Amino acid sequence: MTTVSLNEDVSAGLTRGEQLHAFATVLFPICRSITGNGVRETLRILAEKIPIEIKEVPSGTQVFDWVVPQEWNITEAYIKDSTGKRVIDFANSNLHVLNYSTPIHRQVTLEELRSHLHYLEDHPDWIPYKTSYYKEDWGFCVTYNQYKALTDPVYEVCIASTLSKGSLTYAEYFIPGDTQEEVLISTHTCHPSLANDNLSGIAVVSAIADTLRKRKNRYSYRFIFIPGTIGAITWLAQNEQRVRHIKFGIVASLLGDRGSFTYKRSRRANTEIDLIAAYVLKQRSEHNKIIDFFPYGYDERQFCSPGFNLAVGNLSRTPFGQYPEYHTSNDNLELITAASLEESYEVYLQILTMLDQNVCYVNTNPKCEPQLGKRGLYSLRGGTNDTKAFQMALLWTLNLASGENSLFDIAQRSHMDFEVIREAAFQLKGVGLLTEEKT
Ligand code: ZN
């Protein structure tokens, strides 16, 4: 039976969490967006870890009600004061430019400049992260202190960006399992220098993919690294025929902060992944939260749109908008910790492992109880459980293994831990008393 070894494949000297943090550190400086070379560079680095397939979807491609936008790239941007000094410089932080900003290079009055500045009065040293993907605009994001220091009557502004026909870039990685049924794991790749909001997801998901590809799985696993919203819409539009294979999915985001976990149920609310994710989170800590689906947030919005209605939830630590550093320059490499990243990896893997092991068995000796003693099962202890409890687990499993109840169903009905039921099933299968229902 597969057990999760949390330290497998950890290279010399670094814990898995430290490796994940180091990976986020490498990706941090890159200026990503929903399209462009920053995404390509990010995926090129990711491809050194796992053999992803990189896809390009041309600008102008119709994807349901949307159109793949023009590709955005940027080389530099600044605001110069009357002495020629760069008072705001994209080289210091890629958050300084309104993401998807149109190009500009001219003198502007302070009044005009101010109408294109974004800042946070409540956090005077933080730069906000702002985007304008679908409305052509130019702008800068600055700290409130920088904003207050702008007093010259005229400034030179330069945003050396291009918006032109190109493509939307995403990556996919598929691990075939024993069945064609798939588990979809999706994470977004479109945020620039923000650590928790998207780099934590990319790091944790890549580690999960790397672990799952090295073990034998019942389900097939599909990982997609896509820009938020337009990426999920594009992927669904281009893969509509494959969607029928998706049995479950999780949208991974915000996995590096110190907060507890929040699982947002799928729109269908009571699917196997919803129940198992809730079980794992509650078993781990009473501080973890389970919340109902709502049609906002990350890409579960698209996967759970009524035309797809997939069993896809979202598992994050502190939810979006609920930590002060969200979408600011303080969502940085100090906000995310190696320990949190590692724990997120463990939680994901625990949920996925449980789903993978949640088989519906059939009792091969259903007429009266089989004699456990003659099969050597009567005095077995299951793991750390005492003999008597383990006997009950054997009896419950035999009694409910009718082909319709999964091991999780049996654990729920018997009020026993999933792990104990799973161990009982493993022992019963070993002596031929259970057989796997072939799906
Ligand atoms: Zn975000």
Side-chain angles (χ1 to χ4, degrees):
M1 186 131 278
T2 319
T3 50
V4 184
S5 166
L6 297 171
N7 289 314
E8 63 187 5
D9 313 318
V10 171
S11 63
L14 293 183
T15 65
R16 187 181 297 278
E18 286 164 351
Q19 284 188 40
L20 295 179
H21 197 280
F23 187 42
T25 304
V26 169
L27 299 179
F28 189 76
I30 301 171
C31 183
R32 277 163 294 269
S33 184
I34 52 174
T35 63
N37 292 329
V39 179
R40 289 193 191 95
E41 174 68 0
T42 300
L43 298 179
R44 188 192 62 71
I45 296 168
L46 178 61
E48 293 168 4
K49 292 194 166 286
I50 45 171
I52 48 172
E53 221 182 305
I54 297 174
K55 315 257 184 166
E56 301 277 356
V57 182
S59 306
T61 306
Q62 187 77 37
V63 285
F64 299 121
D65 200 37
W66 298 58
V67 175
V68 173
Q70 294 204 310
E71 182 179 322
W72 185 72
N73 284 293
I74 182 164
T75 48
E76 71 167 346
Y78 56 81
I79 301 173
K80 273 187 190 169
D81 68 12
S82 52
T83 68
K85 181 175 170 240
R86 290 188 183 204
V87 288
I88 305 296
D89 195 343
F90 174 76
N92 296 331
S93 169
N94 57 38
L95 298 181
H96 273 317
V97 169
L98 176 72
N99 200 287
Y100 249 66
S101 195
T102 50
I104 182 170
H105 190 186
R106 63 176 166 87
Q107 304 282 323
V108 295
T109 63
L110 179 58
E111 191 189 355
E112 184 184 1
L113 177 60
R114 279 186 170 164
S115 71
H116 289 272
L117 295 180
H118 306 267
Y119 53 87
L120 298 165
E121 276 189 68
D122 290 346
H123 297 286
D125 291 317
W126 298 4
I127 308 164
Y129 162 58
K130 297 280 179 192
T131 66
S132 190
Y133 303 137
Y134 303 107
K135 179 177 161 274
E136 289 206 355
D137 194 11
W138 66 270
F140 284 88
C141 303
V142 298
T143 71
Y144 186 51
N145 287 333
Q146 287 171 328
Y147 173 82
K148 284 190 296 184
L150 294 171
T151 52
D152 288 0
V154 173
Y155 285 90
E156 177 190 337
V157 298
C158 171
I159 298 173
S161 63
T162 55
L163 265 171
S164 54
K165 199 161 166 40
S167 55
L168 176 150
T169 314
Y170 71 86
E172 189 160 351
Y173 179 50
F174 181 69
I175 305 173
D178 293 342
T179 77
Q180 282 203 337
E181 288 181 314
E182 294 180 9
V183 182
L184 178 76
I185 318 277
S186 136
T187 197
H188 62 291
T189 52
C190 51
H191 289 39
S193 293
L194 297 168
N196 199 33
D197 193 0
N198 108 174
L199 293 183
S200 66
I202 296 171
V204 169
V205 169
S206 66
I208 294 162
D210 193 43
T211 297
L212 293 184
R213 77 188 173 120
K214 292 169 185 162
R215 75 182 199 193
K216 190 168 151 42
N217 305 298
R218 183 163 63 105
Y219 289 121
S220 296
Y221 289 85
R222 189 175 298 280
F223 295 86
I224 54 175
F225 298 86
I226 50 175
T229 308
I230 188 67
I233 293 168
T234 301
W235 189 85
L236 284 164
Q238 303 232 314
N239 294 279
E240 209 173 343
Q241 297 314 311
R242 288 216 214 121
V243 166
R244 65 194 159 89
H245 294 299
I246 298 173
K247 189 162 184 194
F248 319 107
I250 313 187
V251 172
S253 58
L254 309 175
L255 295 171
D257 64 276
R258 293 168 177 81
S260 53
F261 290 91
T262 294
Y263 177 75
K264 175 182 171 184
R265 293 187 184 100
S266 74
R267 179 174 180 267
R268 283 153 61 186
N270 269 318
T271 69
E272 196 177 330
I273 193 165
D274 296 314
L275 299 172
I276 286 181
Y279 174 87
V280 168
L281 291 196
K282 286 294 166 196
Q283 192 188 46
R284 290 183 76 99
S285 166
E286 61 182 28
H287 299 296
N288 293 333
K289 288 197 192 86
I290 316 300
I291 60 172
D292 275 327
F293 176 79
F294 56 95
Y296 195 67
Y298 291 94
D299 284 330
E300 65 278 7
R301 294 158 68 166
Q302 315 310 332
F303 299 119
C304 296
S305 58
F308 289 107
N309 202 20
L310 296 172
V312 173
N314 174 292
L315 177 55
S316 68
R317 299 186 77 102
T318 307
F320 74 94
Q322 293 185 24
Y323 59 97
E325 301 88 350
Y326 175 74
H327 280 191
T328 77
S329 53
N330 267 38
D331 181 345
N332 57 25
L333 293 164
E334 281 79 60
L335 183 74
I336 63 170
T337 72
S340 292
L341 291 165
E342 179 149 349
E343 190 190 21
S344 298
Y345 163 86
E346 287 170 13
V347 167
Y348 265 79
L349 211 54
Q350 194 182 346
I351 291 168
L352 296 173
T353 302
M354 206 165 143
L355 277 168
D356 215 77
Q357 294 174 338
N358 191 28
V359 176
C360 293
Y361 286 109
V362 178
N363 179 345
T364 60
N365 189 103
K367 291 183 176 165
C368 300
E369 291 176 359
Q371 215 184 327
L372 297 179
K374 71 179 181 191
R375 295 177 172 90
L377 295 180
Y378 199 67
S379 56
L380 267 187
R381 295 164 73 89
T384 55
N385 291 275
D386 65 38
T387 308
K388 197 157 175 248
F390 195 64
Q391 292 306 306
M392 284 311 296
L394 292 169
L395 294 175
W396 272 114
T397 305
L398 282 167
N399 190 275
L400 293 176
S402 56
E404 291 135 28
N405 297 310
S406 70
L407 296 184
F408 183 71
D409 295 332
I410 297 171
Q412 296 289 93
R413 176 96 183 258
S414 65
H415 302 289
M416 301 191 83
D417 282 346
F418 177 82
E419 290 72 19
V420 182
I421 296 296
R422 183 188 59 194
E423 177 63 17
F426 177 69
Q427 297 292 344
L428 291 166
K429 194 180 169 203
V431 297
L433 284 173
L434 291 184
T435 179
E436 199 167 328
E437 268 281 269
K438 289 285 172 233
T439 47

